[in-house]
Amino acid sequence: MKPASLRSIPAVEKVLQALGTHDLSRPVVVAVVRRELAALRSSRKVPGLDTVLARIRHSLEFLRRARIQPVVNGTGILVHTNLGRSPLAPAAVETLTAIGSSYNNVEYDLSDGERGKRASYLEHNLAILCRAEAATVVNNNAAALVLILRHLCAAPKCDVVISRGELVQIGGEFRIPDILEASGARLREVGTTNKTLICDYEKAIRRETALVLKVHRSNFFMEGFVESPPTEQIAALARRKRVPLVEDLGSGAVTETEKLAGLEHEPTPAEVLRHGADLVCFSGDKLLGGPQAGIIAGNARRVAALKREPFFRALRCDKLILSALQTTVDLHLKGDSLDIPVLSMSGISMDELRTRAEHIVIALAGLPLKAGIGAGRAQMGGGTLPRSVIPSVTVDLTPEKVALPEFAKRLRESVPPVIGYISGGRFKLDLRTIFPRQDQDLVRAIRLLSL
Ligand SMILES: *Cc1c(COP(=O)(O)O)cnc(C)c1O
């Protein structure tokens, strides 16, 4: 006979019945229930059914929240790496629906009815957008960099010459020196953290040099006693020494960012190539505003050689990415870049934001919280334009009975999740990154909180 405590562990079927219906699938719910019940077996005292059910519901909620779902981004960070970077343009979403729900010509030539080149239209237009001889696309910018390095670094030429001021870390785990080493490159650092001169590059280039790499600092800037030679100068040197110059631009701004809400200038792929870089690479989902992708543009012979690398096959994008990117690139080429959310959001007027904030504050009347309108400092984010702050408008909330971190947690856990930040003793939601169509969701989520 089982010990008393084991006998008191409820049966799976009984628990499932008590839980009722759930939007998670039955095999998933069963697995969670089994796991929780198994955990009870090793505990000394089995709690009552209600406690067991509460624990299981908690685990199910935890799991449900981990499902990728739309969230309300009240952080004021437009390209938020943890929140999916760039939301797609409506036209790109329509393309996804059309391409995803039917067959398509991703690798089929409609002119002769034979197997066709993958993404030839996209590559053609990307080259035009970057004013490059040629362009291609891989999974992300990290993959683009790895592909370029693996291709250009072959014994005995394995040296990658790079400034010490550009050995940066981007995001959680992406470090330029690590990527270099993982690609079989030998790091050849030149200059110092704050100053690198053209003669530093010159001294470092030798017979073993595979390429000179210039990396955009992306997420930080240096001020004061700093210097680094412009791309033109490095390009002239590289040409003279007959080594390729590759520039990792990171953000992929193809519009003039200084025209957007007074942001600082971000170098464009066209500009870098004009200044003499052989290849440039950048992300598709930062300032370009498309899906996750890594774009490589530049010299036609070099792009063609990259595409012949066996490794290229392992990095290629699928039809959904290619088609969403194709639509995004076309928007830029047609001069409709303001249809791209991250670009349009940066330019919304303060008056428009203030009017929305007023409506939201009125709609929150009667709740046990103080709601007001505050000032925000939005940022492009995603490791782009670290110097530029975009003035913004926030809805500021101070709950009367709940501590701020608990309030923030409850909003994160509501449906849809609402994400803001705490500053100056208030919970703030920056309206610049919240789509106007989400204002209602936001109000409903706050009204539904138990405060
Ligand atoms: C963001 C960034 C990367 C990584 O790009 P992913 O598309 O995320 O792989 C690489 N280099 C620079 C300079 C960046 O800013």
Side-chain angles (χ1 to χ4, degrees), residues 74-365:
T75 64
I77 298 168
L78 283 100
V79 180
H80 197 304
T81 298
N82 306 140
L83 304 182
R85 288 197 181 156
S86 294
L88 293 174
V93 176
E94 279 166 33
T95 306
L96 283 178
T97 309
I99 299 301
S101 59
S102 60
Y103 293 101
N104 58 78
N105 61 334
V106 66
E107 228 174 80
Y108 184 79
D109 187 331
L110 293 171
S111 306
D112 60 15
E114 310 245 336
R115 183 197 167 116
K117 285 202 195 107
R118 219 176 152 83
S120 55
Y121 176 91
L122 170 62
E123 290 182 342
H124 177 263
N125 289 9
L126 259 178
I128 294 173
L129 186 64
C130 299
R131 304 214 187 124
E133 287 173 14
T136 193
V137 185
V138 289
N139 268 324
N140 53 27
N141 192 22
L145 206 50
V146 170
L147 179 69
I148 292 171
L149 291 166
R150 285 180 61 117
H151 173 64
L152 292 177
C153 299
K157 287 182 186 282
C158 290
D159 275 12
V160 175
V161 173
I162 181 171
S163 160
R164 288 199 167 86
E166 296 171 5
L167 292 172
V168 298
Q169 168 160 351
I170 294 144
E173 62 261 37
F174 183 91
R175 289 180 158 182
I176 293 290
D178 295 348
I179 286 274
L180 292 189
E181 265 162 45
S183 313
R186 197 176 327 117
L187 195 59
R188 187 104 170 100
E189 305 170 28
V190 301
T192 61
T193 303
N194 55 328
K195 275 208 179 218
T196 302
L197 308 174
I198 193 69
C199 60
D200 294 322
Y201 283 98
E202 177 137 29
K203 271 183 277 176
I205 298 175
R206 48 178 192 161
R207 213 164 346 119
E208 289 81 3
T209 303
L211 69 144
V212 177
L213 180 64
K214 199 165 154 44
V215 178
H216 192 50
R217 277 190 203 111
S218 301
N219 49 9
F220 75 107
F221 56 92
M222 297 201 292
E223 241 168 9
F225 194 56
V226 291
E227 189 174 337
S228 54
T231 300
E232 295 100 305
Q233 224 175 1
I234 307 174
L237 172 69
R239 212 170 309 122
R240 190 152 50 78
K241 298 274 191 180
R242 296 176 181 280
V243 293
L245 169 64
V246 175
E247 186 151 345
D248 171 9
L249 268 184
S251 81
V254 295
T255 46
E256 293 172 345
T257 48
E258 63 273 28
K259 289 196 180 147
L260 292 169
L263 296 173
E264 70 208 88
H265 176 72
E266 183 78 2
T268 63
E271 181 182 324
V272 168
L273 291 173
R274 190 176 70 239
H275 290 160
D278 295 279
L279 290 173
V280 58
C281 61
F282 56 94
S283 298
D285 54 349
K286 291 182 179 171
L287 296 185
L288 191 74
Q292 179 188 298
I295 295 154
I296 303 171
N299 176 278
R301 187 178 52 83
R302 293 200 184 278
V303 172
L306 284 172
K307 290 178 65 181
R308 282 195 302 272
E309 278 285 322
F311 198 54
F312 180 78
R313 178 66 172 75
L315 304 176
R316 74 177 194 185
C317 303
D318 91 314
K319 61 188 182 222
L320 295 179
I321 299 291
L322 294 173
S323 57
L325 191 59
Q326 166 184 295
T327 301
T328 308
V329 166
D330 279 352
L331 287 175
H332 282 290
L333 287 171
K334 286 179 189 155
D336 292 334
S337 51
L338 285 184
D339 286 353
I340 291 167
V342 287
L343 300 180
S344 61
M345 279 172 159
S346 68
I348 304 171
S349 77
M350 291 292 276
D351 281 345
E352 192 177 331
L353 296 177
R354 228 174 271 119
T355 307
R356 282 172 52 202
E358 282 162 10
H359 284 124
I360 292 171
V361 167
I362 291 169
L364 293 176

Side-chain angles (χ1 to χ4, degrees), residues 400-417:
E400 283 161 15
K401 296 180 206 129
V402 185
L404 285 176
E406 174 61 22
F407 182 72
K409 180 171 154 51
R410 287 186 195 169
L411 267 180
R412 280 199 308 275
E413 295 180 351
S414 59
V415 182

